[in-house]
Amino acid sequence: MSAVKCEPDDLSPEAFRHGDFTLTCSNEFSGDFSQLEPQHSNSVPTGMNISKSEMAKETSLKPSRRSLPCLVQSYTYSKSLSQSTSLFQSLESECQAPTSVISVSAGKTEQVNTEENKKDSMLTCSFADLSNFCLALGRDKDYMDDSEHANYDRSRLISNSVFKDKSDSKPKVLSKNDMNYIASGGLLFKDGKKRIDYILVYRKSNIQYDKRKIFEKNLRAEGLMLEKEPAVANPDIMFIKIHIPWETLCLYAERLNIRMPFRVKKNFIKVKKWLPSNPMVIDKSALPDLQEADCYTGPFSRARIHHFTINNKDTFFSNATRSRIVYHVLQRTKYENGVSKVGICKLINNGSYEAAFPPHEGAYKSTQSIKTHGPQNNRHLLYERWARWGMWYKHQPLDLIRRYFGEKIGLYFAWLGWYTGMLIPAAFVGVCVFFYGLLTMNTSQVSQEICAATEVFMCPLCDKNCSVQRLNDSCIYAKVTYLFDNGGTVFFAIFMAIWATVFLEFWKRRRSILTYAWDLIEWEEEEETLRPQFEAKYYKMERVNPITGKPEPHQPFSDKITRLLVSVSGIFFMISLVITAVFAVVVYRLVVMEQFASFKWSFIKQHWQFATSAAGVCINFIIIMILNLAYEKIAYFLTNLEYPRTESEWENSFALKMFLFQFVNLNSSIFYIAFFLGRFVGHPGHYNKLFNRWRLEECHPSGCLIDLCLQMGVIMFLKQIWNNFMELGYPLIQNWWSRHKIKKGVQDASIPQWENDWNLQPMNIHGLMDEYLEMVLQFGFTTIFVAAFPLAPLLALLNNIIEIRLDAYKFVTQWRRPLPARATDIGIWYGILEGIGILAVITNAFVIAITSDFIPRLVYEYKYGPCAHEAINKVSCLKGYVNNSLSFFDMNVLQMGKLGYCRYRDYRNPPWSSKPYEFTLQYWHILAARLAFIIVFEHLVFAIKSFIAFLIPDIPKDLNDRIRREKYLVQEMMYEAELEHLQQQRRKSGQPVHYEWP
């Protein structure tokens, strides 16, 4: 078995660039070309020994009897790939001349036949047509133009790509789709054969040339193939396209224990459903790329490559897997002599490279309808079936999301969709509680008494500019308060606590199903690797891993504790800043309430408490946003200071810091209003003052719950608007500005895909942390103070319906393609959600017992009201409650020139009693009832939560049995496949065949 041997007279780069060389090819092969195995070499040869099989497309490996075809080839990718490789397949029959001398020049082509091969056929190739193709004939050669100022004329490759056919001698011109795919598709090298797996970007004007040169040299040594090309719109930008060949893929797939398919599972008979199709489910015929067989998988091994179903080498490893492997190499390749001088991340940080990203699979829009012509690529399919606003009511195509963006992003959207779906019953019950309050608002005994109290005067709420006011002036506030503080509040608080438990328990079941379907059951132990920064820092301190038995870098316990203490100190320092900011807002409210009470505008003067609260909320929100920006950088620094061992540990540590700070930042003012506002003000004539100067703020005559609702509603509404703007509005503006800066003479159609991706916005350096953090904080708003704001689940549901499509649109159209990372769960966020669920039970118990008037009304109804001793059917049991809850104060004590008595909210003795202004017995009864309610409520809800968690298993029983069954079958099939392979080897060598292991 031999090959076509081509020997150029002059192979210098300059001659190659201008086309002044002669290429002599002789045939030394006899046999079946299909039996040739392509052999890769990572080094660049001095000559060009090109096997015939390398000129043609790689033939698919024939599966063995036990290794049936498993993976259906990607419909969208194969469709595009066939467009670009069809010309090379047609050329294969043309380029089989046994011996010929081809003289190639830039302007003409001359064929010279040798005397030994006069009977052989002749092949004519023009350099303008085939220069790039001939360069790629030696697929072992790593094509790399070291000139950073080289310019490539893609138009010549397109306009002159005309091939002659022997049969009819008519020119065969590439179609428009073929030309667009090769010129601007951005999926292949210039040879139209090697797939682009990753893109590096740098500026020619950058002075870090030596680091890049060493780094790229080491990348080639690792087995990667590189190709440079300048940008069309900006001559200072240079792109490096990276391709990972088959042998390197197999090597790293084995090192990373990537699981690959090796056997088709038995198909079960599917019963045809007679029910009509669900309109919320996407039609499977619209997703042809997802129609693939279910397969058994196992860790890839080159020694057992015959076990795996390799139907096509080009598509055996998915795009996501190829990108992950390339990123693994980029993260562990040195750019200078030194242990810590490693990784593409450091090169980007020091400015050597501008960016590194995997390319998108083409444009997300097409001039042709997807219904008639099908999807152009997976990105186009995702946009049409997921990212468009018209798909808001459809279920998400999670399998397609996982295939394109990776399991980590797929799990995020699966969790977000599950959370949104679970909000539907919570929102329905919350709306029912709200409408119950709305319908019974006018019949409420408390509201009726407040609105009818025309002769009841309330004591001044401030010292200087406030006067007495009638109680019926707060009639509207009393009715609005009743909307959120009625008999259904306690029921809704218990319901939401149980709902949070059911949501988390059923999510664990949903996650287990997804991890099984996505083949992630055993991934955590196999593929979790050390961070390059950790390896570079502690390479001198090794310890044997008790699991693998191999030495690995180890962080000493003393060093770990020291760094952890520094990090915790930084967290507490930032939290103290938040508390200081809240205190400053409280002081602001105390100062301006006197000013609003004497304001010239009559509306502000009459509703000065509302104006004070609204201004305080807005200022507090501005401070929240400023502190968030500052703390994000500090949290990033503290996390890197800890030197986490793995990427998951880094993400968990960073996420915990960001959550702690933002949770305190957002909720500290809410906690102040719920549990401290109006609790320590004293009583008329003896008010408590801050710094002996400012009188503490009191609650409204109708209660403090209206202030809590206002605080929650404004912060939740403004936070969601700000997040949506930063997630979509800001990238849209940035991308528009990037397109605006492109030269006017350059058309978008002539810009390759990798350059279009470069003009998009990069994904946040923190990955999905911002998306998870936004939703987790929303989950806190939905559950923690839900007793005070029953409409929170409804607002969260409406926001999440928009959020899913907004995030989808952002990922598909506005962001560069992120690294398709893998994950088995949502990380530390699940533990945070569980903690929020526990905190929600406690806070709702305190809100009902302390903030609302539920307990005082309950005590009055059963102890002091008209129904306390005997049932009275015609009279409300709360009759006289308002008068009972207000105490008397003698205004003569104030010496304000006013006579008579005023009323204030408290349970104190009147001024004519023997112990004036002391707490009454009813106050202590109410306090005991509040404490008893908190204890009973918490224990009851926690008992229900624990019982529900016990009843719902984390993994469905049928799925657990299936997993155990498949583990057993995998071992048996691996045993049978290895035995059969051994038998085949013995038959070929003429040795006796054993049907069991020898």
Side-chain angles (χ1 to χ4, degrees):
M1 187 178 295
S2 57
V4 178
K5 184 177 182 181
C6 299
E7 298 180 354
D9 294 342
D10 185 4
L11 196 59
S12 63
E14 193 66 26
F16 239 144
R17 187 174 294 110
H18 296 286
D20 298 331
F21 67 92
T22 301
L23 184 67
T24 304
C25 300
S26 61
N27 185 11
E28 300 178 0
F29 172 76
S30 62
D32 187 5
F33 292 115
S34 63
Q35 301 299 324
L36 284 175
E37 278 289 327
Q39 302 295 329
H40 291 267
S41 175
N42 297 324
S43 60
V44 180
T46 55
M48 294 180 66
N49 287 333
I50 309 171
S51 64
K52 190 64 175 290
S53 62
E54 294 170 359
M55 298 173 62
K57 183 181 178 181
E58 289 183 351
T59 57
S60 302
L61 299 182
K62 296 180 179 180
S64 62
R65 177 172 60 87
R66 287 185 168 272
S67 182
L68 300 176
C70 176
L71 291 178
V72 175
Q73 304 307 319
S74 174
Y75 171 78
T76 56
Y77 179 77
S78 299
K79 178 181 177 181
S80 301
L81 186 62
S82 62
Q83 295 175 356
S84 60
T85 56
S86 60
L87 66 96
F88 303 109
Q89 292 175 344
S90 64
L91 186 64
E92 178 183 358
S93 59
E94 308 277 349
C95 296
Q96 291 184 354
T99 306
S100 60
V101 178
I102 305 172
S103 179
V104 186
S105 62
K108 61 182 180 179
T109 304
E110 179 182 358
Q111 178 179 349
V112 182
N113 295 335
T114 59
E115 295 182 357
E116 297 86 12
N117 300 281
K118 291 181 180 180
K119 296 181 181 181
D120 296 330
S121 59
M122 299 160 57
L123 173 66
T124 304
C125 301
S126 66
F127 179 80
D129 301 336
L130 303 177
S131 59
N132 290 323
F133 174 69
C134 293
L135 285 174
L137 288 178
R139 68 190 300 269
D140 301 334
K141 177 177 175 61
D142 181 6
Y143 179 76
M144 181 70 183
D145 188 353
D146 291 332
S147 174
E148 297 188 358
H149 303 279
N151 293 318
Y152 305 95
D153 190 357
R154 282 183 294 272
S155 62
R156 291 182 61 201
L157 176 64
I158 300 172
S159 60
N160 299 327
S161 297
V162 180
F163 301 93
K164 296 183 179 181
D165 187 271
K166 285 184 178 182
S167 58
D168 54 6
S169 300
K170 293 182 179 180
K172 184 177 180 181
V173 185
L174 288 173
S175 66
K176 184 177 180 180
N177 290 336
D178 296 334
M179 293 187 294
N180 289 339
Y181 182 80
I182 295 177
S184 61
L187 297 180
L188 303 175
F189 272 30
K190 286 179 178 241
D191 58 7
K193 194 173 183 180
K194 298 181 182 69
R195 181 187 308 183
I196 299 176
D197 298 311
Y198 228 85
I199 296 292
L200 301 181
V201 186
Y202 69 90
R203 297 185 181 273
K204 299 179 193 176
S205 58
N206 188 278
I207 61 175
Q208 306 283 353
Y209 174 75
D210 293 336
K211 293 181 180 178
R212 292 197 303 269
K213 184 176 181 181
I214 296 174
F215 184 72
E216 293 162 10
K217 179 180 179 182
N218 292 334
L219 288 179
R220 294 188 217 110
E222 290 290 337
L224 302 183
M225 296 182 178
L226 312 180
E227 184 178 75
K228 284 186 179 180
E229 186 161 352
V232 175
N234 189 349
D236 189 42
I237 298 295
M238 181 70 74
F239 296 97
I240 298 179
K241 297 172 282 185
I242 300 178
H243 167 76
I244 181 168
W246 172 256
E247 281 77 11
T248 310
L249 267 175
C250 294
L251 173 64
Y252 280 97
E254 183 177 11
R255 288 182 182 178
L256 299 177
N257 287 325
I258 296 178
R259 301 180 67 87
M260 301 303 296
F262 67 89
R263 182 68 60 85
V264 179
K265 296 179 182 178
K266 294 182 179 180
N267 294 325
F268 297 95
I269 300 176
K270 297 182 178 180
V271 181
K272 186 177 181 180
K273 296 182 179 180
W274 59 271
L275 293 175
S277 60
N278 188 350
M280 299 182 66
V281 178
I282 297 178
D283 186 10
K284 291 297 182 183
S285 61
L287 304 174
D289 204 29
L290 300 180
Q291 297 176 353
E292 62 180 21
D294 199 6
C295 310
Y296 294 109
T297 61
F300 184 80
S301 172
R302 290 178 296 172
R304 296 182 177 181
I305 195 172
H306 51 277
H307 292 174
F308 297 92
T309 304
I310 307 178
N311 194 36
N312 190 330
K313 285 185 177 181
D314 291 333
T315 56
F316 178 64
F317 293 101
S318 65
N319 286 347
T321 303
R322 298 172 70 98
S323 298
R324 281 198 302 268
I325 293 177
V326 173
Y327 181 76
H328 178 83
V329 177
L330 292 175
Q331 280 286 72
R332 284 155 179 80
T333 302
K334 292 184 178 181
Y335 59 87
E336 280 185 2
N337 294 327
V339 178
S340 62
K341 307 296 184 180
V342 60
I344 185 63
C345 292
K346 288 191 174 182
L347 287 172
I348 294 177
N349 291 335
N350 62 31
S352 299
Y353 289 97
E354 297 292 322
F357 53 89
H360 278 294
E361 294 183 4
Y364 65 89
K365 283 188 178 180
S366 176
T367 56
Q368 299 173 340
S369 174
I370 191 174
K371 295 182 179 179
T372 57
H373 294 78
Q376 298 299 315
N377 50 67
N378 282 333
R379 190 187 184 195
H380 180 215
L381 184 60
L382 279 171
Y383 175 76
E384 292 291 337
R385 300 304 181 195
W386 179 49
R388 291 194 302 112
W389 297 108
M391 297 284 109
W392 68 270
Y393 64 95
K394 294 283 189 180
H395 291 320
Q396 301 181 87
L398 295 178
D399 290 333
L400 184 60
I401 298 171
R402 165 245 180 175
R403 176 175 300 176
Y404 193 82
F405 292 110
E407 288 79 3
K408 193 170 186 178
I409 295 178
L411 275 174
Y412 163 72
F413 282 103
W415 175 83
L416 181 57
W418 183 259
Y419 171 46
T420 304
M422 289 293 293
L423 279 173
I424 295 176
F428 175 78
V429 177
V431 170
C432 290
V433 172
F434 176 79
F435 275 103
Y436 168 77
L438 186 65
L439 294 176
T440 60
M441 180 174 57
N442 293 326
T443 61
S444 170
Q445 180 66 29
V446 177
S447 299
Q448 290 178 356
E449 291 185 0
I450 292 177
C451 294
T454 57
E455 300 300 326
V456 178
F457 295 92
M458 302 299 295
C459 296
L461 297 178
C462 59
D463 291 336
K464 296 181 180 180
N465 301 317
C466 298
S467 61
V468 295
Q469 59 179 350
R470 298 179 186 273
L471 180 59
N472 66 333
D473 291 342
S474 61
C475 177
I476 297 177
Y477 290 98
K479 291 182 178 181
V480 173
T481 301
Y482 181 79
L483 292 177
F484 306 101
D485 187 10
N486 51 66
T489 300
V490 179
F491 164 76
F492 189 56
I494 297 176
F495 172 82
M496 287 302 297
I498 298 174
W499 172 87
T501 301
V502 173
F503 160 65
L504 294 176
E505 291 299 323
F506 274 99
W507 163 248
K508 287 193 289 187
R509 292 169 63 88
R510 175 63 173 163
R511 184 198 67 85
S512 63
I513 295 173
L514 288 176
T515 53
Y516 168 78
W518 294 350
D519 198 27
L520 297 171
I521 297 297
E522 300 178 0
W523 171 80
E524 186 174 0
E525 294 83 9
E526 294 176 353
E527 295 193 11
E528 190 73 8
T529 56
L530 301 178
R531 296 183 73 235
Q533 294 85 348
F534 181 85
E535 292 180 320
K537 178 68 176 178
Y538 300 104
Y539 72 97
K540 294 182 179 179
M541 307 172 188
E542 291 188 345
R543 188 182 68 174
V544 176
N545 190 316
I547 299 175
T548 62
K550 299 178 181 179
E552 64 179 23
H554 169 67
Q555 184 179 15
F557 180 76
S558 59
D559 181 78
K560 185 175 183 178
I561 290 297
T562 302
R563 295 179 179 276
L564 188 61
L565 289 176
V566 174
S567 178
V568 171
S569 301
I571 295 173
F572 277 107
F573 173 74
M574 292 304 299
I575 291 178
S576 64
L577 288 182
V578 174
I579 298 175
T580 304
V582 173
F583 181 76
V585 174
V586 171
V587 174
Y588 165 80
R589 292 168 63 116
L590 299 180
V591 172
V592 300
M593 69 179 184
E594 293 279 355
Q595 306 300 325
F596 281 125
S598 60
F599 214 72
K600 294 181 180 180
W601 294 352
S602 60
F603 178 81
I604 300 295
K605 187 175 183 179
Q606 292 177 2
H607 304 88
W608 62 270
Q609 281 188 300
F610 177 81
T612 302
S613 299
V617 170
C618 295
I619 293 176
N620 186 55
F621 180 76
I622 295 174
I623 295 176
I624 287 172
M625 293 295 102
I626 295 174
L627 291 178
N628 282 345
L629 296 175
Y631 186 76
E632 183 176 350
K633 297 181 179 180
I634 296 176
Y636 186 78
F637 169 78
L638 293 176
T639 305
N640 288 331
L641 184 65
E642 296 175 7
Y643 280 98
R645 182 173 175 271
T646 61
E647 288 294 335
S648 61
E649 290 182 5
W650 188 95
E651 292 177 359
N652 292 340
S653 178
F654 181 73
L656 182 60
K657 293 180 180 62
M658 289 299 298
F659 169 76
L660 287 175
F661 174 77
Q662 291 213 19
F663 181 81
V664 175
N665 198 16
L666 283 175
N667 293 282
S668 55
S669 59
I670 299 177
F671 272 92
Y672 164 75
I673 293 176
F675 305 127
F676 297 98
L677 179 62
R679 306 298 169 192
F680 311 100
V681 295
H683 60 86
H686 193 271
Y687 284 113
N688 297 322
K689 295 186 177 182
L690 184 65
F691 304 131
N692 293 324
R693 181 176 181 181
W694 295 296
R695 173 179 162 183
L696 296 180
E697 189 176 1
E698 291 187 59
C699 292
H700 196 271
S702 59
C704 295
L705 202 63
I706 189 66
D707 293 323
L708 180 60
C709 295
L710 177 65
Q711 186 83 6
M712 288 185 60
V714 171
I715 290 181
M716 189 174 183
F717 180 74
L718 293 179
K719 187 74 166 56
Q720 290 179 351
I721 291 180
W722 175 260
N723 289 337
N724 292 338
F725 170 76
M726 293 302 296
E727 289 182 6
L728 183 61
Y730 183 73
L732 280 173
I733 295 174
Q734 291 283 60
N735 292 335
W736 171 83
W737 181 249
S738 298
R739 292 191 299 268
H740 180 72
K741 291 190 298 184
I742 296 177
K743 296 180 180 179
K744 296 182 179 180
V746 179
Q747 299 179 357
D748 291 341
S750 63
I751 297 178
Q753 182 60 47
W754 57 80
E755 190 164 348
N756 286 328
D757 291 349
W758 161 249
N759 292 327
L760 298 177
Q761 293 300 306
M763 184 179 177
N764 194 299
I765 60 174
H766 310 315
L768 292 170
M769 194 276 300
D770 288 341
E771 278 70 24
Y772 273 119
L773 181 61
E774 177 187 356
M775 291 295 103
V776 169
L777 291 174
Q778 183 203 86
F779 180 80
F781 270 98
T782 306
T783 56
I784 292 179
F785 292 100
V786 73
F789 195 47
L791 293 180
L794 177 63
L795 295 180
L797 174 63
L798 297 177
N799 175 79
N800 288 5
I801 292 175
I802 300 174
E803 182 75 20
I804 291 177
R805 304 303 159 181
L806 187 147
D807 283 348
Y809 184 83
K810 174 180 61 180
F811 272 91
V812 174
T813 67
Q814 301 302 311
W815 278 4
R816 298 172 192 162
R817 187 177 183 181
L819 177 69
R822 308 197 80 185
T824 57
D825 53 26
I826 61 176
I828 198 175
W829 299 109
Y830 183 84
I832 293 175
L833 291 172
E834 283 188 326
I836 291 177
I838 296 173
L839 182 62
V841 177
I842 301 173
T843 54
N844 280 305
F846 276 87
V847 167
I848 296 173
I850 297 177
T851 309
S852 74
D853 288 338
F854 176 77
I855 297 300
R857 291 197 302 263
L858 197 66
V859 172
Y860 177 82
E861 185 175 357
Y862 289 99
K863 181 65 177 175
Y864 298 96
C867 300
H869 303 290
E870 58 182 9
I872 303 177
N873 297 327
K874 296 182 180 180
V875 179
S876 174
C877 295
L878 289 176
K879 184 177 181 180
Y881 168 76
V882 173
N883 183 65
N884 178 265
S885 63
L886 298 177
S887 299
F888 288 88
F889 177 74
D890 187 3
M891 289 189 293
N892 294 327
V893 178
L894 299 178
Q895 297 180 357
M896 297 175 59
K898 297 180 180 179
L899 303 177
Y901 297 98
C902 66
R903 311 294 294 273
Y904 61 97
R905 286 175 55 89
D906 209 341
Y907 294 92
R908 295 179 181 270
N909 293 323
W912 57 80
S913 67
S914 59
K915 295 182 179 179
Y917 307 122
E918 294 289 335
F919 287 118
T920 63
L921 183 61
Q922 186 176 354
Y923 170 83
W924 300 108
H925 286 166
I926 293 175
L927 180 61
R930 283 173 169 170
L931 296 177
F933 175 83
I934 292 173
I935 295 174
V936 173
F937 182 88
E938 289 180 357
H939 283 73
L940 176 63
V941 175
F942 281 134
I944 297 175
K945 286 168 62 73
S946 301
F947 182 70
I948 292 176
F950 173 77
L951 289 180
I952 303 175
D954 296 346
I955 301 177
K957 185 179 183 303
D958 57 341
L959 178 60
N960 191 27
D961 295 340
R962 195 184 311 168
I963 293 173
R964 295 174 62 185
R965 172 66 176 168
E966 289 191 4
K967 285 184 178 180
Y968 170 77
L969 292 178
V970 166
Q971 294 177 356
E972 291 294 320
M973 285 185 289
M974 294 290 285
Y975 168 84
E976 293 177 3
E978 190 66 28
L979 180 60
E980 182 178 358
H981 180 68
L982 181 61
Q983 291 172 355
Q984 292 176 357
Q985 297 295 330
R986 286 180 174 273
R987 290 191 185 98
K988 291 180 181 180
S989 60
Q991 299 179 3
V993 177
H994 297 280
Y995 293 95
E996 294 182 0
W997 286 100

